[in-house]
Amino acid sequence: MSTESRLRLIWLYPDLLSTYGDRGNLLILARRADLRGLPVECAEVRADQAVPADGDIYLIGGGEDGPQALAAQRLIADGGLRRAVDHGATVFSVCAGYQLMGNSFYAKGAKCAGLGLLDLDSDRGETRAVGELAGEVDPALGLPTLTGFENHGGRTHLGPGVRPLARVTAGIGNDGRSEGAWHGRILGTYSHGPALARNPGIADLLLRWATGMTMEPIDDRWPTRLRDERLSAVLK
Ligand code: GLN
């Protein structure tokens, strides 16, 4: 954790990549940290602002192709996120934000450079993937079933430098077989929902990565009801 033991959460580019309600991930992380008595400081960094390199957890969300391409250009030119990752920061990226963590992606028919922080490339699928998404999470992460809502045209192909976040049991995810990816402390997913509201275990994993501390259990009856309801919807 950074100076004065405050956990710094950075929500990247709310002006470009907030169309799918992924800002809820910031609220969930801050709330779950607060319930563990961890002092939290949240910063929202717009695309015309410099990305501070001293954050502990960076969050980035989904968006349409145009803003996604612009966000990638700005993040590459800025360099702050890469410096933060080099210092061991944790990153949670969703959909457009996930694609732009990779080496390349397509937006409006053009191939665009990503940040190259995750070894993956995205192209376009024949159909748009829209609907419930579920999968069994990589056992190395020790998390329960992933649940989310996806809405994307891209398909993502993982390189040897990343592990899939989950094996798809409902929906498309990366390619109909795997969903999301992770490497080190960088994690990406196609799940909206927001993802951390539907998967509080991932929120606690991010907090553990960022603090090195074990996250004591908290009252998760409401998130559990939400998860049960959404997971039962895809079993039908
Ligand atoms: N523009 C990207 C795609 O359609 C990501 C969409 C999103 O973030 N929901 O694949």
Side-chain angles (χ1 to χ4, degrees):
M1 274 169 31
S2 52
T3 46
E4 299 164 10
S5 295
R6 279 189 175 268
L7 189 69
R8 289 202 76 203
L9 310 182
I10 314 267
W11 175 235
L12 290 170
Y13 294 181
D15 48 340
L16 295 179
L17 298 175
S18 280
T19 35
Y20 293 85
D22 298 316
R23 186 173 175 277
N25 292 327
L26 178 71
L27 305 180
I28 295 287
L29 263 192
R31 172 75 178 151
R32 296 183 76 84
D34 188 51
L35 287 170
R36 270 60 173 256
L38 295 169
V40 172
E41 187 182 303
C42 296
E44 305 205 3
V45 177
R46 292 193 317 268
D48 62 351
Q49 296 175 311
V51 177
D54 61 350
D56 296 299
I57 306 181
Y58 292 77
L59 300 120
I60 186 165
E64 302 311 320
D65 284 12
Q68 175 179 351
L70 183 57
Q73 284 170 15
R74 295 271 171 135
L75 283 171
I76 291 168
D78 177 272
L81 182 59
R82 171 165 287 283
R83 284 198 298 282
V85 166
D86 289 345
H87 296 146
T90 295
V91 180
F92 182 64
S93 59
V94 176
C95 206
Y98 164 49
Q99 289 180 11
L100 65 79
M101 289 297 141
N103 302 313
S104 67
F105 62 90
Y106 276 81
K108 296 189 164 179
K111 188 171 184 177
C112 305
L115 276 80
L117 294 174
L118 288 173
D119 180 19
L120 52 87
D121 293 272
S122 300
D123 55 16
R124 305 303 287 192
E126 287 179 4
T127 56
R128 198 166 175 86
V130 184
E132 287 295 311
L133 175 62
E136 294 309 320
V137 177
D138 183 345
L141 296 175
L143 296 174
T145 305
L146 178 85
T147 166
F149 183 86
E150 62 183 336
N151 182 354
H152 53 102
R155 297 294 185 275
T156 297
H157 310 285
L158 306 186
V162 291
R163 290 172 67 114
L165 172 62
R167 180 178 58 80
V168 169
T169 53
I172 304 290
N174 292 329
D175 57 3
R177 295 184 300 279
S178 74
E179 144 53 18
W182 69 283
H183 172 73
R185 294 177 183 162
I186 309 175
L187 198 152
T189 177
Y190 273 110
S191 278
H192 302 287
L196 298 185
R198 287 173 65 154
N199 302 277
I202 298 181
D204 288 354
L205 174 73
L206 300 172
L207 292 172
R208 180 159 61 77
W209 280 350
T211 64
M213 293 160 60
T214 305
M215 292 298 124
E216 296 304 328
I218 52 181
D219 182 354
D220 271 333
R221 275 174 292 181
W222 281 103
T224 301
R225 284 176 71 170
L226 171 65
R227 288 176 54 77
D228 290 349
E229 192 276 331
R230 287 292 79 205
L231 286 169
S232 68
V234 293
L235 289 177
K236 283 176 195 155

